[in-house]
Amino acid sequence: MRGWRSVLAPLGAIGIALVALGLLLLLLGADPLRALGALMGGAFGDRNALENTLLRMCPLLLVGLGVALAFRCGVWNIGGEGQLYLGALAASALATRVLPDAPALLLLPLVVLGGALAGALWGGIAAALRVGRGVSEVLSTILLNFVALLLVAYAVHGPLQEASGAYPQSDLFPLAAQLGLLPGTGRVHSGLVLALLLPAALWFGLFRTAAGLRLRAVGLAPEAARYAGIRPERELVRVLLISGGLAGLAGALEVSGVTGRLFENLSSGYGFTAIAVALLARLHPLGVLPAAAFFAALSTGSGAMQRVAAVPAVTVQLLEALVILISASFALPRRTD
Amino acid sequence: MRFLCMLLALVCLACERSQDAQPEAFQVGLLTPGSIRDAGWNQSAYEGLLRVREELGAEIAHQVTRTPQQVEEGFRDLAARGFELVFGHGFEFQDAAAKVGREYPDTVFITTSGSTVRPNVSPIVFELEQATYVLGYVGASISRRARLAAVGGVKVPSVASTFMAFEAGARAARSTVRVSVSYIGSWTDVSAAREATLAAIAEGVDVLIHNLNEAAHGFFQAVRESEGVLAFGANRNQNALAPEHVLASATIDIPQALLLVAREVESGSFQPRSIRFGLRDGVIQIEWNEGLLARVPADVKREADALVTRIKEGALEVPRAGF
């Protein structure tokens, strides 16, 4: 059965990637044991490390779910990064300009939902271009990333710039627009709960509802689906809206739960790493959870690798890219299996 | 499966080793927003960190932090490991420094530029204005048409402030001088910098200053292509980039600044404040291009040197934007 294979293949890929990482460290003249120890310590070693990993897991999980869903439907959404930024932008506009004085009970849901809607809108542009003009969503989503980044740059240098005008960043969110912390943690925001519930919800939607069946049918064979009375265009629009919405939600949670401000370099490429997350998860909503945890741990651990083991930043980036490449390519489900 | 077990064993071994006791050295950390091989802002901070290790025997750690969250993680982890001093290299480190500083009162957090001051958080403020003021004075004195220009990257207060001082210096020399200021909206766009510079020159400007990062190459390209034009370098000694045109550079000795602060913290004499470094501390300098000094009349050079002395003595307050 493919059940156990879909678990073992990603695990094997992670194993291969970690061994390759060790070998490469050796090759580069670093002490691989010390570096890997730092990596593990930095990701799980103490409470701070664990909280860091959880915080990074949140956007990877949300964007990764959206990417997995879109890929399932045969829609190549490479625009997670831009959709995330647009979500953050909308959330910041709402929190610092449109409704800064609204009570928390109203403002917080508006900020979070507004972010998700903006992300969905960004995905929707790609959908409209595909359905209306036949523009490949691979191109349009990639290019819309740049538009989103520049929009954020414009916003923090212009209309959303902090009142003092000193730095290219938004004002600090009013407290009513900031997500509360999970009890017992120092920094983990409550949005994580939402993110953790979503894989199961999306699993149910994808495998236990008619809508999910339609979506998967289009991904497997669009023309056969059309013959069965499903309209692939409608599924494409729907899945890009959901996918963009999830990324937008991730962006909103980042600004309202982690930074409390909008910056230009808010994301460390979450939208791109999320593609690797989805592939490592073999596009399964439940698999996205451990896959996001793995990449989050890699990312927090690599910071510690610089600080503790003095591995240069460029080497760390090289290693991260290598792990993404190996784990994604070895875990990729074959279309024929 | 077998290599997974081996891997696990390897990792356990590694964890074991990383828990060795730390020696009791002075520990200094640095977070930079970009690669330390950028031949500029970040590299100079890392050189400062190395100098701190060399001169104070400190144990050092460095990390590149590109997002606000990485910054917070870096600050928190170094503080938790007992680092006495952590530098965040840029204004964008202020929020995280204030936040983590509250949790770790025994660690001093220094941001290079910024304005946030807490009991254990202070910014270093580079008074580059002192040097650009003097260069403005020189520029206005030698400009044939009394037309000067300044080309900036992004209009942020720290850059606008250096141009304001440049203009004030120019006016002090010659009240009729015209200084045009333009911003290209990017730190890295070489061709935009070149075009903005050529545009200014086409309008009759013959002395220029800039405040750009990588885009400065475009500025110097334009200057090299234009006959009879003189220019000033900024932030680093850029005299060699156009040796026939660059008369002097207003430089920041970032390594020196880091070392001065590290000395304070190590000796226990550190006081939280806006740590201002200018000409007097040797952190800000005017570095002349000896090959072109002949183009400066002797009395202008003398007046410039006198200005430097008066600024060092505190007799002359150079205007700067409050930010």
Side-chain angles (χ1 to χ4, degrees):
Chain A
M1 271 294 287
R2 50 176 295 203
W4 58 269
R5 263 188 58 196
S6 63
V7 174
L8 277 192
L11 280 182
I14 291 177
I16 294 169
L18 286 179
V19 170
L21 193 145
L23 286 176
L24 199 69
L25 280 169
L26 205 63
L27 206 70
L28 292 165
D31 178 349
L33 289 185
R34 195 170 135 83
L36 283 176
L39 182 83
M40 297 303 269
F44 307 111
D46 54 31
R47 221 184 92 166
N48 269 336
L50 265 176
E51 291 196 2
N52 289 342
T53 302
L54 283 175
L55 277 177
R56 291 211 183 177
M57 190 180 87
C58 187
L60 288 176
L61 179 57
L62 289 169
V63 187
L65 279 173
V67 171
L69 224 53
F71 282 18
R72 276 271 177 184
C73 185
V75 175
W76 307 106
N77 178 13
I78 316 292
E81 185 83 351
Q83 291 146 14
L84 181 147
Y85 267 105
L86 215 77
L89 176 62
S92 307
L94 283 168
T96 63
R97 284 290 182 273
V98 183
L99 290 163
D101 303 319
L105 218 55
L106 180 70
L107 186 55
L108 201 49
L110 270 179
V111 163
V112 171
L113 280 179
L117 274 179
L121 173 87
W122 216 237
I125 296 177
L129 284 172
R130 165 78 189 270
V131 174
R133 316 279 318 162
V135 179
S136 159
E137 79 279 4
V138 177
L139 283 178
S140 60
T141 50
I142 289 180
L143 294 176
L144 281 167
N145 284 335
F146 296 105
V147 181
L149 281 169
L150 290 170
L151 269 178
V152 169
Y154 163 72
V156 295
H157 285 284
L160 291 192
Q161 191 177 25
E162 59 177 351
S164 70
Y167 301 112
Q169 58 185 19
S170 77
D171 278 317
L172 200 61
F173 278 31
L175 269 181
Q178 295 193 23
L179 283 165
L181 296 183
L182 285 181
T185 71
R187 284 171 299 126
V188 182
H189 58 78
S190 46
L192 184 69
V193 178
L194 182 65
L196 288 176
L197 290 176
L198 275 171
L202 288 178
W203 171 82
F204 185 83
L206 194 61
F207 293 109
R208 292 290 182 272
T209 67
L213 179 68
R214 282 199 296 273
L215 190 152
R216 283 183 294 138
V218 170
L220 288 171
E223 289 316 308
R226 191 190 300 279
Y227 191 69
I230 301 169
R231 285 166 59 189
E233 295 79 16
R234 184 182 288 181
E235 296 307 315
L236 176 135
V237 173
R238 191 174 292 164
V239 85
L240 267 174
L241 288 177
I242 298 174
S243 189
L246 285 166
L249 175 65
L253 294 185
E254 281 300 288
V255 281
S256 110
V258 183
T259 63
R261 281 184 202 276
L262 184 66
F263 293 85
E264 271 174 273
N265 54 350
L266 187 72
S267 157
S268 58
Y270 289 130
F272 301 113
T273 309
I275 296 169
V277 168
L279 292 177
L280 184 63
R282 293 170 75 90
L283 308 186
H284 196 291
L286 295 180
V288 169
L289 188 60
F294 169 70
F295 279 110
L298 184 69
S299 146
T300 39
S302 66
M305 217 149 69
Q306 288 181 50
R307 293 189 301 266
V308 180
V311 180
V314 277
T315 310
V316 171
Q317 281 158 19
L318 181 77
L319 293 175
E320 279 185 294
L322 186 81
V323 172
I324 288 178
L325 195 67
I326 292 179
S327 53
S329 52
F330 278 79
L332 200 64
R334 296 235 182 93
R335 287 206 74 103
T336 51
D337 69 347
Chain B
M1 206 57 219
R2 195 180 300 157
F3 71 67
L4 274 181
C5 293
M6 274 168 56
L7 193 80
L8 209 65
L10 200 94
V11 165
C12 294
L13 209 73
C15 293
E16 200 84 13
R17 286 182 41 170
S18 69
Q19 283 164 4
D20 290 345
Q22 301 281 341
E24 288 290 309
F26 181 51
Q27 291 177 302
V28 181
L30 167 71
L31 308 183
T32 57
S35 163
I36 51 170
R37 284 176 228 283
D38 64 351
W41 179 246
N42 295 305
Q43 186 164 348
S44 58
Y46 189 67
E47 281 163 11
L49 187 68
L50 294 180
R51 201 133 116 201
V52 169
R53 174 170 74 182
E54 215 169 277
E55 305 235 342
L56 306 179
E59 186 190 312
I60 60 170
H62 165 256
Q63 184 188 353
V64 175
T65 52
R66 294 186 196 277
T67 66
Q69 204 194 327
Q70 287 173 347
V71 170
E72 226 185 287
E73 286 172 19
F75 273 150
R76 190 169 277 112
D77 178 68
L78 291 171
R81 282 165 51 204
F83 276 58
E84 284 94 338
L85 171 62
V86 185
F87 291 100
H89 197 45
F91 77 87
E92 64 269 42
F93 292 80
Q94 298 181 91
D95 282 355
K99 201 163 159 188
V100 179
R102 247 195 336 264
E103 299 165 31
Y104 295 93
D106 296 334
T107 301
V108 173
F109 298 87
I110 302 290
T111 61
T112 27
S113 78
S115 55
T116 306
V117 179
R118 301 281 184 277
N120 59 332
V121 176
S122 290
I124 294 177
V125 178
F126 298 107
E127 299 193 300
L128 191 65
E129 290 84 352
Q130 297 184 343
T132 57
Y133 180 89
V134 177
L135 294 183
Y137 186 92
V138 173
S141 307
I142 59 175
S143 169
R144 287 186 305 275
R145 305 186 192 94
R147 288 294 314 270
L148 274 52
V151 182
V154 178
K155 191 175 179 186
V156 293
S158 56
V159 171
S161 182
T162 62
F163 290 166
M164 197 181 88
F166 182 74
E167 195 170 344
R171 291 216 186 289
R174 220 161 141 182
S175 58
T176 55
V177 74
R178 274 176 63 196
V179 182
S180 35
V181 176
S182 61
Y183 294 94
I184 62 168
S186 156
W187 298 113
T188 51
D189 193 337
V190 173
S191 58
R194 179 171 169 275
E195 281 157 26
T197 310
L198 286 176
I201 293 169
E203 282 172 20
V205 166
D206 61 354
V207 180
L208 300 102
I209 192 166
H210 76 91
N211 201 332
L212 300 155
N213 289 357
E214 291 93 325
H217 289 289
F219 173 83
F220 289 110
Q221 254 176 38
V223 166
R224 276 198 305 268
E225 290 166 17
S226 312
E227 222 164 298
V229 165
L230 289 175
F232 298 117
N235 300 321
R236 295 183 296 127
N237 186 335
Q238 295 167 322
N239 297 352
L241 290 181
E244 304 296 315
H245 299 271
V246 183
L247 189 53
S249 293
T251 64
I252 307 178
D253 189 347
I254 293 175
Q256 177 69 10
L258 264 54
L259 182 63
L260 288 174
V261 173
R263 279 217 181 102
E264 274 187 30
V265 174
E266 196 205 19
S267 69
S269 65
F270 170 78
Q271 294 294 329
R273 67 193 189 281
S274 251
I275 309 167
R276 293 173 174 272
F277 285 131
L279 289 168
R280 189 195 343 216
D281 317 276
V283 170
I284 304 296
Q285 285 177 16
I286 294 173
E287 297 186 36
W288 295 94
N289 179 356
E290 299 293 336
L292 283 188
L293 266 185
R295 303 275 287 271
V296 184
D299 57 323
V300 172
K301 177 70 168 61
R302 251 197 323 275
E303 282 162 24
D305 292 341
L307 280 179
V308 169
T309 313
R310 282 177 58 207
I311 292 170
K312 280 184 181 172
E313 287 168 348
L316 174 64
E317 185 80 29
V318 170
R320 54 178 289 129
F323 58 89

